[in-house]
Amino acid sequence: MTLYFEDLRPGTVYQLGSVTVDGAEMVAFARRFDPQPFHVDAEAARHTPFGGLIASGWYTGSVFMRLYVDALLVDAASEGSPGLTELRWLSPVRAGDVLHGRLTVLDSRPSRSSPKRGTALLRGELLRDGEPVMRTTFRGLFGRRPD
Amino acid sequence: MTLYFEDLRPGTVYQLGSVTVDGAEMVAFARRFDPQPFHVDAEAARHTPFGGLIASGWYTGSVFMRLYVDALLVDAASEGSPGLTELRWLSPVRAGDVLHGRLTVLDSRPSRSSPKRGTALLRGELLRDGEPVMRTTFRGLFGRRPD
């Protein structure tokens, strides 16, 4: 059942499932995209305020995205996103963390320029033991349900 | 010469160098983290509003991060980031695009809780032929120059 713009009602909360952070992938990602000592060098990381290796924030955001795609966008009239209005890394993410994804529809409005789509304002969160470690607010474009 | 909090003066603009988007890596990233048709399936992408494959926004952000690390953070007293206050994907990014990174210091203030660090408000951009394709505003934590 394809998810259309009309289905994204403000207040709706979607549970996006869980994932365990793979330490090897987490570090490989950082070596390629964010090679700062606290992301790639376990020994150096011990002497930083983080006290050990933590995930690149871009990795954490990408992990959220995959949960969101698998749970919702895989069968949705998604047309991408113009951007984020906020992204907070609230707590360091580490190898082995079990992260749960959650999506809340904050607002939705039909497009002024096209009768075929609309924009939803969405809150995405990753939680560990019920506490958010990442929170983002972003806009998603969705096609409207065909007549 | 290590970059400290004191070096990040409002108004300073750093050129972060350029990179050519590798189509194979762009698609591999999306298969893992953002497997939407317009990111991973060339044939399906042709029938979307994008008219062909485009990069996941998380890939574009990660490409910016690598330019930023290589140009500046590689020798800086960086202590991570609490988050982004904005991220806009202004134009679709495609394989072969040559992207140039730019960082502008918008503001900086010493920490209220620690004499050892401060926060800079930074604007990061990726430009293609001089036009921004991605823009983000974010905070970076930096250690202060030792006496």
Side-chain angles (χ1 to χ4, degrees):
Chain A
M1 219 180 66
T2 302
L3 188 82
Y4 289 100
F5 169 73
E6 287 78 0
D7 301 315
L8 296 161
R9 295 190 185 82
T12 304
V13 178
Y14 296 96
Q15 305 299 332
L16 307 180
S18 296
V19 64
T20 301
V21 175
D22 178 318
E25 183 184 73
M26 179 186 100
V27 172
F29 183 103
R31 283 194 199 286
R32 169 64 186 97
F33 294 113
D34 195 353
Q36 298 187 75
F38 40 80
H39 294 322
V40 299
D41 182 334
E43 178 55 27
R46 256 194 287 280
H47 305 289
T48 69
F50 303 113
L53 283 176
I54 65 168
S56 167
W58 297 99
Y59 181 70
T60 307
S62 297
V63 163
F64 167 79
M65 190 70 210
R66 178 59 188 263
L67 288 175
Y68 176 34
V69 172
D70 281 358
L72 286 182
L73 297 186
V74 66
D75 192 11
S78 168
E79 299 185 5
S81 166
L84 318 173
T85 56
E86 180 200 35
L87 190 155
R88 293 291 309 278
W89 293 295
L90 301 164
S91 176
V93 168
R94 299 171 197 267
D97 281 0
V98 178
L99 303 179
H100 177 78
R102 186 164 71 187
L103 187 85
T104 304
V105 182
L106 299 179
D107 194 12
S108 68
R109 54 188 63 186
S111 167
R112 279 183 221 163
S113 58
S114 166
K116 289 188 174 175
R117 60 179 62 90
T119 302
L121 184 67
L122 303 163
R123 169 158 301 152
E125 293 166 290
L126 283 175
L127 304 105
R128 180 182 54 211
D129 298 329
E131 294 296 320
V133 297
M134 190 194 94
R135 182 180 66 230
T136 181
T137 308
F138 63 103
R139 294 184 196 283
L141 304 178
F142 291 86
R144 300 191 68 163
R145 185 178 298 283
D147 288 333
Chain B
M1 219 178 70
T2 302
L3 189 81
Y4 288 100
F5 169 73
E6 286 79 359
D7 301 314
L8 296 162
R9 295 189 185 85
T12 303
V13 179
Y14 296 96
Q15 305 300 330
L16 306 180
S18 295
V19 64
T20 301
V21 175
D22 178 317
E25 183 184 74
M26 179 186 100
V27 171
F29 184 103
R31 282 194 201 286
R32 169 65 186 95
F33 294 113
D34 195 354
Q36 300 187 74
F38 42 79
H39 294 321
V40 300
D41 182 336
E43 177 55 25
R46 258 194 285 280
H47 305 289
T48 68
F50 303 115
L53 283 175
I54 65 168
S56 167
W58 296 99
Y59 181 71
T60 307
S62 298
V63 163
F64 167 80
M65 191 68 210
R66 178 60 187 265
L67 289 176
Y68 176 35
V69 172
D70 282 357
L72 288 181
L73 297 185
V74 66
D75 191 12
S78 168
E79 298 184 6
S81 166
L84 317 173
T85 56
E86 179 200 36
L87 190 154
R88 292 291 309 278
W89 294 295
L90 300 164
S91 176
V93 168
R94 299 171 197 267
D97 281 1
V98 178
L99 304 179
H100 177 78
R102 186 163 71 186
L103 187 86
T104 304
V105 182
L106 300 179
D107 195 11
S108 69
R109 54 188 62 186
S111 167
R112 279 182 220 163
S113 57
S114 165
K116 289 190 172 173
R117 59 179 61 90
T119 303
L121 185 65
L122 303 163
R123 169 158 300 152
E125 293 167 289
L126 283 175
L127 302 105
R128 180 181 55 211
D129 298 329
E131 294 296 321
V133 298
M134 190 195 95
R135 182 179 67 230
T136 181
T137 308
F138 63 102
R139 294 184 196 283
L141 303 177
F142 291 87
R144 301 192 68 164
R145 186 179 298 283
D147 291 331

